[in-house]
Amino acid sequence: MLTGSLGGTGTINYTTGAYTLSNAGVGTATYQWENSNNTGITDFTKSSPRTAGQGFVFRQDDGGGDAKTIASYGDVEYCFHRLKTWALTLTATDTNATNLIYRDNVGIPNWRAAVPTGDGIYYIDDYDQTDPKFRLLTLNNVSTQVIPQPISDALNLEDYRFDKGVSEENGDLIVFECRHKDSTVNNTTFIYDKRYKSFDRLDYAFSCAARYNGALVVGDSISDNVFELFSGFDDNGSTIPNYWEGNLTDLQVHELKKVRRLWTQGEISRDQILKIYLAFDRGAYVLVGTQNGTDDNVDTAPRPVIGTEAIGEAALGGTSEISVYNYIKEIKLTQGKFNHVKIKFECTGIGYCSVSTLTYHDITLHGQKLPTKYRAAS
């Protein structure tokens, strides 16, 4: 609405500059045209030869698919596309920049699927969708070359989809989010522990993640809600078990064997209960031992507190604190001879628990024979 000093009213279109007045022929207007590209952030004009500070465009359209994200490692910006990755290196005066193809067939499925860390760039690789991998882009141990190294060879990820994949760092953990092939939204979380080079799988469901004041904050996959992960312990009335399963193994002994003792070591909070199961030669799981946080074999000497500034740069997970204690559990095994075994750990209480080492002790050998259940009747 326009109001003039000589009376009358009018309107103006701020997009086109056109105006109308109720008093015809009254009023004047002065216009100023501004070109925001002139020396602005989107001004890519340059002289020949180009000088420092002038605009420039780095083309990366050589069949790599959609550009997804840029992650820094060292002095190189790794530009991940869907099917290819470029290495962009800028110089102090930005006149000698290089923009080279880093790798063909190295890309990410979603712009959230890579996270830069001090170790390198962790990312989700589903170029071969029949054999997806979690990888780390880092320096080779024997050279100065940066190469993508697989970290998930022990995982079978063929039943998971990563089109909405998320990667994020939280202390010593790298979080990878994906969805099962039967789900349309993210519903599975794989957590990689950089210290122990091990994975856990959780049934968290989120579509994005970020660090905020030392906590890992995620956005729910379905609703418009935000949650804080690893900030405490709550069963939420859930019926989903909290467990971890190992791989089927012959203990690197390629014959029939018997194990008399199983040793496990880790940390546990007072309210947690850890159940230990073994399955022999692809049979059903059998409960072989239980570790309670209050058992006599738990070392109650002062230990680090999970969730305080005693671990990491800030509170791990936010505000909750819980004391954890070291335990060493010895289980006497009375099961018979076997070729292969698989272990499962299940937490049934509320609290923290970890398993750091696992040892099959006192192994006796019984030759190249089949387990009894597979032998033909005489």
Side-chain angles (χ1 to χ4, degrees):
M1 180 69 68
L2 295 177
T3 302
S5 59
L6 299 179
T9 59
T11 60
I12 186 171
N13 185 324
Y14 287 101
T15 301
T16 64
Y19 67 89
T20 61
L21 294 174
S22 59
N23 297 342
V26 176
T28 59
T30 301
Y31 295 97
Q32 178 180 350
W33 171 258
E34 176 186 352
N35 182 359
S36 58
N37 281 341
N38 186 12
T39 69
I41 192 171
T42 57
D43 183 358
F44 296 108
T45 59
K46 60 184 183 296
S47 59
S48 183
R50 176 179 171 271
T51 61
Q54 290 186 319
F56 198 59
V57 175
F58 296 99
R59 298 293 296 266
Q60 297 179 347
D61 50 5
D62 184 20
D66 297 341
K68 297 297 184 181
T69 193
I70 299 175
S72 302
Y73 184 48
D75 58 354
V76 179
E77 312 300 322
Y78 290 92
C79 307
F80 288 86
H81 293 235
R82 180 66 184 96
L83 304 173
K84 190 178 294 188
T85 298
W86 275 258
L88 173 62
T89 305
L90 301 174
T91 59
T93 59
D94 81 358
T95 56
N96 297 311
T98 59
N99 179 44
L100 305 175
I101 295 176
Y102 165 68
R103 287 285 194 281
D104 284 323
N105 304 335
V106 171
I108 57 176
N110 183 36
W111 70 275
R112 304 181 191 272
V115 55
T117 73
D119 301 327
I121 303 169
Y122 289 89
Y123 69 97
I124 298 170
D125 175 12
D126 73 338
Y127 183 83
D128 181 359
Q129 297 190 13
T130 64
D131 187 25
K133 299 285 186 183
F134 300 136
R135 297 186 186 273
L136 171 62
L137 198 68
T138 189
L139 284 170
N140 188 299
N141 292 331
V142 295
S143 72
T144 59
Q145 185 179 15
V146 175
I147 62 173
Q149 301 178 0
I151 61 172
S152 61
D153 285 342
L155 297 180
N156 182 356
L157 300 173
E158 65 179 7
D159 288 337
Y160 297 93
R161 304 294 179 262
F162 301 92
D163 53 318
K164 303 176 183 179
V166 179
S167 300
E168 187 54 72
E169 181 183 29
N170 187 52
D172 289 319
L173 305 178
I174 301 296
V175 179
F176 298 99
E177 181 69 7
C178 58
R179 63 182 179 90
H180 190 268
K181 64 181 180 180
D182 296 331
S183 174
T184 59
V185 298
N186 286 348
N187 64 351
T188 304
T189 304
F190 289 96
I191 297 179
Y192 178 66
D193 192 314
K194 294 184 287 185
R195 299 165 299 176
Y196 301 116
K197 312 299 182 185
S198 62
F199 276 94
D200 285 322
R201 190 187 70 83
L202 302 174
D203 295 303
Y204 295 156
F206 57 87
S207 58
C208 58
R211 293 285 301 279
Y212 180 71
N213 286 342
L216 181 61
V217 180
V218 301
D220 185 63
S221 291
I222 301 176
S223 64
D224 295 329
N225 292 305
V226 174
F227 299 95
E228 187 176 298
L229 298 188
F230 312 120
S231 60
F233 305 99
D234 186 356
D235 62 2
N236 289 325
S238 174
T239 59
I240 300 175
N242 181 15
Y243 65 86
W244 178 88
E245 291 184 276
N247 292 325
L248 188 69
T249 176
D250 63 0
L251 307 183
Q252 297 183 340
V253 177
H254 309 304
E255 59 181 282
L256 206 62
K257 66 194 74 69
K258 181 183 289 186
V259 177
R260 300 186 184 278
R261 284 177 171 81
L262 175 67
W263 295 347
T264 61
Q265 180 272 329
E267 292 179 329
I268 193 169
S269 61
R270 304 293 287 175
D271 296 328
Q272 186 57 272
I273 301 171
L274 175 67
K275 292 188 175 181
I276 304 165
Y277 299 84
L278 292 176
F280 297 94
D281 294 317
R282 296 176 172 81
Y285 279 114
V286 176
L287 179 66
V288 295
T290 301
Q291 175 65 58
N292 286 274
T294 55
D295 286 347
D296 293 338
N297 66 323
V298 177
D299 185 359
T300 56
R303 299 290 298 169
V305 179
I306 300 299
T308 72
E309 295 183 5
I311 296 182
E313 62 186 27
L316 179 59
T319 58
S320 297
E321 299 180 4
I322 183 169
S323 296
V324 297
Y325 307 93
N326 186 71
Y327 70 88
I328 298 178
K329 178 75 172 180
E330 180 181 72
I331 302 172
K332 294 181 179 180
L333 300 178
T334 59
Q335 285 70 24
K337 305 165 190 175
F338 63 92
N339 272 332
H340 294 85
V341 65
K342 189 175 183 180
I343 195 166
K344 179 173 77 169
F345 298 99
E346 181 180 359
C347 291
T348 59
I350 298 177
Y352 179 87
C353 184
S354 70
V355 178
S356 301
T357 61
L358 168 67
T359 306
Y360 293 92
H361 184 65
D362 197 1
I363 302 175
T364 59
L365 307 182
H366 297 271
Q368 297 286 349
K369 301 176 183 179
L370 289 174
T372 302
K373 68 177 183 177
Y374 293 122
R375 296 177 192 173
S378 58

